[in-house]
Every structure is written in structure tokens, then in C-alpha cells.
């Protein structure tokens, strides 16, 4: 195995910048916004905290996380069923490690689920979705795949992620209820990866745990809505029926990382307690991401690329198949070739569909529209009342690199045709 594609593209962009090339870094999916001031201040004050903490996490933080899910998601969450880990990525790995069963993934899916299953040797059942269904798995598709792929000796874990990486979509309440019915029928365990939940652009995220509470683990963390990916703090919230799984993960954790960095856990209490300042921060970030996503889509659609307007997170999944014959004339027949030629010829970095478990030949790529100064953009947004839309020149001023990069993709595609 090689290094994860998200980290490799970050390094490649850094190297090109060091060589003096202009780069539009739409590769790594990292929040552009700063960690909210109160949370940073809490970390400063917590710097002297030096003790190892309980493997499941600091009790006050587990209480804050449970309160957060009770309030925001109407979940029946309790502190003793919350597990704190060094990023939700690590918790997902440990879950797959202790879970003797098969993993069900829709594609395109986040880069690390499948490699994690492969490292551990778990069998994966991929459900491939299409542009026309907004890359969402339907209850019917799920049902069909469960009926065909049947092995009674192994339990099954369905990983759902919404708002979705890499597509920026989410499931409606109706779709979640239908998926929950199928999950219940087949007694699936669901890992509901809601790391982008608070980044639903209208603040309307709904968890499948509301409809299938008894076997859903909700995954969240600080990385996206709180802009703190590098702090490495993720959370799993379990139903009482799955406490045995939490205990198994905690046992492995106790023999590996011991506990998450103490000062980070103390600071995270502030983040999960929430408050008016954090709500304002979220309102501004969502308004900005929604407007920017919309603007990017308008430009890309105009150029003939298939892409849906996003409803959450900061990703677009581009389908260049309408331009396949033009691209083929230029010798571009795979997603990887598309991305490397685009980077070479325009400085725009995208990740090819194949790293999201799509086929090599498919002309798809993920675009993370995060290459801008989030602190400056937030400060500018704060001068505009929240009930007003951002003025028309705002994005060009505050997210210039994103708009320019998107325009370069459009020009490059038109040059192709
Ligand atoms: N799930 C998804 C869909 C992601 O995009 C990421 C990337 N940060 C993660 C999980 C892992 O997040 P973290 O380990 O930072 O909590
Ligand atoms: N989740 C981010 C992405 O999809 C990057 C961080 C990571 O992979 O751990 O690009």
C-alpha cells in the first residue's frame, strides 16, 4: 500500500509551490476556517494538563459530547457510551479491527474506509452509485445488495457518510427512514459518519440514529465544523445495545494509543458545549460554503462538466464523461490522467475518482473548494448581516484562488473541445 491519497496530494501541492508554481489546491479536504477563539483560548489554558487520561476519554468531555448529540441530533446519548479517539479515522480503523464481519460501502466513498478494511483483511461489499441518483445509495439498492451477497456466518457493518465526502450531498429524512428500515430488516450495524453534520449548509442535518437508534454508532469530531483537523480528536457515540463494541475498541486503544492528548480533550469541552459565539461562527462558515459551492457549480456546469450543487461540507464530485471523446483525443482516458494533466497544465489539484473506490477508467474527480484564507473570509463575512446574502463581489475578493482555479478548469475543458 502507498500513502493515503489525501496526504500525498497535499505534499505534491506544497512541493509545486516551493518550486514557485501557482497551485490551486483543491486536493486535501481540510477546513479553511480557524479554530474558534474560545476553543483556542481553552487549549492555551489547558497546556499544563499532562496526565494520561482514561482510555475512553475525559469524563467532562464525554458528557459534553453526549449533550451535543442530545441537543443537536435528538439522540439518546449518554456520556458512558461516548468514546473519544485521536481522530474519527483511528476509531473507524479500530472498529473494523474488532468487528468480525463484512463492510458495506457505497461508492464514491471517503478515501480511507476501503484501505482500512484491506489492511485488516475484511471483506468489502461495494454498492456503486451514479451521477443521476446524486451518488446516493437507495434503500432498494441496499436491499438488493444484501440479498445477493449473503454469508450467514458474518455480521455486516454499513458505513454511511452524510453530508458526503466526496460529493457534498446528504440524505433526506425520507431516504434515511427507508435505509433504516432495510438496516433493521437485515440487523446491520450502521456506522453513521456525520463528521460534516454541522456543515450542512442550511443547518438541517438529521441523523439516521433517530430512525435506527438500536444499532447505529454516530461518528463525529472537531476536524470539520471546528476547523481543527490537526488537533486529532474524534468521537463515537454508541447505543446501549452496542456497548460491547465500545469496550472492545477501548481495550485495543488501551494497548495502542492509551488516550487522546490531554490539553486537546480539555479544550474540546468548550467546543462541544457550544454557545452563541460558536453558533455565529457556524452560520458564517455555512453561508460562505453554500455561496462558494453554488458559484463553483455554475461555472463548471456552464463548461459542460456534470456536477450537482452541494448541500453540505466543501466537496464537489465532477463527472467529465460528457467530454470523454474530446479528452480521449488528448490522450486522457482515466481519472488519474485527467488529474495529472490538469495539474500540469493549469496548476489545479484534484483527486481522481479511483481513490474514492470508483473505476480507473471513470472520468471523475473530487474538488475541495477550500483554497482560501478562512480567517480573512470569516472576518469579512462578519460585516454582513446574517440574514443577508453575500454581495456579488464577495467570493471574488475573499476566495479568489478558488474562483480562479475553477475558471481555469472551465477554460482547460473548453480548450480541449
Ligand atoms: N470521515 C470522513 C468522511 C472524512 O472526510 C474524514 C477526513 N477528515 C474523516 C472521516 C476522518 O476525520 P478525523 O480523523 O479528522 O476525525
Ligand atoms: N478527510 C480529508 C479528505 O478527505 C483529509 C483528512 C484525512 O484523510 O485524514 O481529504
Amino acid at each position: 500500500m502507498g500513502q493515503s491519497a489525501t496526504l500525498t496530494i497535499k505534499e505534491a501541492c506544497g512541493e509545486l509551490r516551493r518550486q514557485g508554481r501557482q497551485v490551486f489546491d483543491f486536493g486535501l479536504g481540510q477546513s479553511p476556517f480557524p479554530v474558534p477563539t474560545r476553543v483556542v483560548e481553552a487549549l492555551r489554558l489547558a497546556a499544563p494538563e499532562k496526565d494520561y487520561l482514561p482510555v475512553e476519554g475525559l469524563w467532562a468531555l464525554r458528557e459534553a459530547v453526549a449533550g451535543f448529540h442530545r441537543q443537536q441530533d435528538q439522540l439518546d446519548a449518554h456520556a458512558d457510551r461516548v468514546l473519544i479517539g485521536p481522530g474519527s479515522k483511528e476509531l473507524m480503523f479500530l472498529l473494523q479491527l474488532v468487528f468480525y464481519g463484512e463492510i458495506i460501502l457505497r461508492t464514491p466513498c471517503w478515501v480511507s474506509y476501503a484501505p482500512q478494511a484491506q489492511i485488516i483483511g475484511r471483506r468489502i461489499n461495494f454498492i456503486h452509485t451514479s451521477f443521476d441518483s446524486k451518488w446516493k445509495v437507495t434503500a432498494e439498492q441496499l436491499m438488493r445488495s444484501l440479498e445477493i451477497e449473503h454469508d450467514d456466518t458474518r455480521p455486516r457493518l454499513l458505513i454511511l457518510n452524510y453530508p458526503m465526502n466526496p460529493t457534498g450531498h446528504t440524505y433526506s429524512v425520507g431516504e434515511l427512514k427507508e435505509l433504516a428500515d432495510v438496516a433493521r430488516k437485515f440487523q446491520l450495524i450502521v456506522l453513521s459518519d456525520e463528521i460534516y453534520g454541522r456543515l450542512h449548509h442550511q443547518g438541517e442535518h438529521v441523523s439516521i440514529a433517530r430512525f435506527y437508534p438500536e444499532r447505529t454508532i454516530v461518528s463525529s469530531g472537531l476536524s470539520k465544523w471546528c476547523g481543527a483537523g490537526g488537533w486529532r480528536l474524534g468521537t463515537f457515540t454508541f447505543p446501549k445495545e452496542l456497548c460491547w463494541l465500545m469496550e472492545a475498541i477501548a481495550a485495543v486503544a488501551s494497548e495502542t494509543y492509551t488516550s487522546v492528548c490531554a490539553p486537546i480533550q480539555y479544550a474540546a469541552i468548550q467546543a462541544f458545549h457550544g454557545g452563541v459565539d460558536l453558533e455565529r461562527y457556524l452560520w458564517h462558515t455555512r453561508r460562505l460554503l453554500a455561496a462558494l459551492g453554488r458559484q463553483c457549480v455554475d461555472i463548471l456546469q456552464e463548461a459542460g462538466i456534470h456536477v450537482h450543487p452541494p448541500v453540505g461540507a466543501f466537496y464537489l464530485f465532477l463527472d467529465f464523461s460528457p467530454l470523454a471523446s474530446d479528452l480521449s483525443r488528448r490522450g486522457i482516458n482515466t481519472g488519474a490522467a485527467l488529474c495529472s494533466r490538469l495539474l500540469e497544465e493549469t496548476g489545479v489539484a484534484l483527486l481522481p475518482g479511483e481513490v474514492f473506490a470508483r473505476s480507473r477508467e471513470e472520468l471523475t474527480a473530487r474538488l475541495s473548494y477550500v483554497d482560501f484564507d478562512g480567517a480573512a473570509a470569516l472576518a469579512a463575512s462578519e460585516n454582513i448581516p446574517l440574514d443577508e446574502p453575500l454581495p456579488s463581489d464577495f467570493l471574488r475578493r475573499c476566495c479568489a484562488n478558488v474562483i480562479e482555479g475553477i475558471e481555469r478548469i472551465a477554460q482547460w475543458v473548453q480548450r480541449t473541445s
Side-chain angles (χ1 to χ4, degrees):
M1 292 181 72
Q3 180 178 252
S4 185
T6 52
L7 304 178
T8 304
I9 191 78
K10 183 175 161 62
E11 286 167 17
C13 289
E15 181 53 34
L16 287 172
R17 276 184 175 145
R18 274 191 293 282
Q19 292 167 11
R21 290 264 322 263
Q22 187 180 15
V23 175
F24 303 88
D25 185 356
F26 302 158
L28 180 75
Q30 168 163 276
S31 167
F33 300 109
V35 180
T37 318
R38 178 156 56 91
V39 183
V40 173
E41 182 59 14
L43 180 60
R44 204 176 62 78
L45 295 175
E49 295 292 345
K50 60 168 213 25
D51 287 349
Y52 291 113
L53 295 178
V55 61
E56 296 88 352
L58 189 64
W59 182 254
L61 174 59
R62 296 169 76 198
E63 278 184 322
V65 172
F68 172 89
H69 283 304
R70 277 197 302 271
Q71 197 207 2
Q72 305 270 344
D73 303 308
Q74 287 92 55
L75 300 190
D76 171 33
H78 285 273
D80 58 359
R81 291 189 262 110
V82 170
L83 183 63
I84 310 296
S88 59
K89 189 173 185 172
E90 179 66 16
L91 291 178
M92 283 167 197
F93 180 71
L94 295 188
L95 171 64
Q96 297 202 32
L97 184 74
V98 302
F99 177 78
Y100 174 78
E102 180 182 301
I103 316 291
I104 305 164
L105 286 175
R106 75 106 209 202
T107 80
C109 60
W110 176 53
V111 285
S112 291
Y113 302 134
Q116 289 191 347
Q118 281 150 7
I119 293 169
I120 300 164
R122 296 284 173 252
R123 187 169 181 280
I124 308 173
N125 173 6
F126 287 112
I127 305 178
H128 300 293
T129 63
S130 67
F131 175 82
D132 292 338
S133 66
K134 294 192 172 164
W135 309 106
K136 295 196 251 186
V137 60
T138 62
E140 200 193 321
Q141 248 180 324
L142 176 62
M143 174 99 93
R144 252 185 285 128
S145 94
L146 292 167
E147 279 165 354
I148 299 166
E149 304 272 334
H150 206 59
D151 175 356
D152 275 341
T153 60
R154 283 171 189 265
R156 290 182 275 202
L157 172 71
L158 168 67
I159 303 185
L160 287 178
N161 162 231
Y162 52 100
M164 299 174 202
N165 177 1
T167 60
H169 291 101
T170 196
Y171 294 104
S172 68
V173 167
E175 289 164 338
L176 289 176
K177 283 183 177 163
E178 286 173 11
L179 289 168
D181 288 346
V182 178
R184 184 170 287 114
K185 180 165 178 223
F186 288 87
Q187 290 286 293
L188 304 181
I189 291 178
V190 175
L191 173 65
S192 185
D193 180 350
E194 303 179 26
I195 191 117
Y196 298 98
R198 302 281 85 77
L199 290 186
H200 184 294
H201 295 167
Q202 310 308 322
E204 290 170 2
H205 175 68
V206 176
S207 173
I208 194 170
R210 295 229 331 240
F211 315 114
Y212 188 49
E214 67 272 27
R215 288 165 83 84
T216 299
I217 304 163
V218 176
S219 174
S220 185
L222 287 184
S223 298
K224 309 301 172 178
W225 67 270
C226 199
W231 286 22
R232 309 308 301 124
L233 187 134
T235 69
F236 268 15
T237 302
F238 293 79
K240 53 182 172 310
E241 292 81 351
L242 297 182
C243 279
W244 58 274
L245 255 179
M246 183 178 119
E247 284 160 19
I249 296 173
V252 181
S254 75
E255 302 288 13
T256 52
Y257 60 76
T258 305
S259 61
V260 173
C261 168
I264 298 291
Q265 293 205 49
Y266 281 94
I269 297 171
Q270 288 294 322
F272 285 101
H273 269 323
V276 176
D277 54 340
L278 295 188
E279 281 308 311
R280 282 186 66 80
Y281 166 93
L282 276 174
W283 272 94
H284 284 288
T285 59
R286 288 175 186 145
R287 175 171 68 175
L288 222 145
L289 291 174
L292 187 56
R294 182 74 246 187
Q295 174 105 354
C296 295
V297 164
D298 287 347
I299 300 169
L300 294 165
Q301 283 180 339
E302 180 73 28
I305 297 165
H306 269 170
V307 55
H308 294 291
V311 298
F314 32 66
Y315 302 110
L316 301 175
F317 198 62
L318 313 187
D319 180 358
F320 291 77
S321 60
L323 308 159
S325 46
D326 290 331
L327 291 168
S328 181
R329 271 197 288 282
R330 292 176 67 177
I332 298 171
N333 297 302
T334 63
L338 172 77
C339 292
S340 76
R341 288 283 289 278
L342 197 60
L343 183 59
E344 242 167 70
E345 294 171 23
T346 67
V348 173
L350 305 181
L351 281 175
E354 75 179 277
V355 309
F356 305 95
R358 302 296 294 185
S359 77
R360 236 185 118 248
E361 291 70 34
E362 189 176 88
L363 294 171
T364 52
R366 185 189 79 176
L367 186 158
S368 312
Y369 51 95
V370 294
D371 189 0
F372 60 94
D373 180 343
L378 257 189
S381 173
E382 270 154 19
N383 296 323
I384 301 154
L386 273 170
D387 53 357
E388 285 177 21
L390 296 172
S392 55
D393 64 335
F394 185 94
L395 299 175
R396 253 179 217 286
R397 269 191 294 115
C398 296
C399 311
N401 224 39
V402 174
I403 303 293
E404 188 181 339
I406 297 287
E407 285 173 345
R408 286 200 182 198
I409 300 175
Q411 285 153 12
W412 183 80
V413 157
Q414 275 147 6
R415 213 184 321 145
T416 307
S417 21

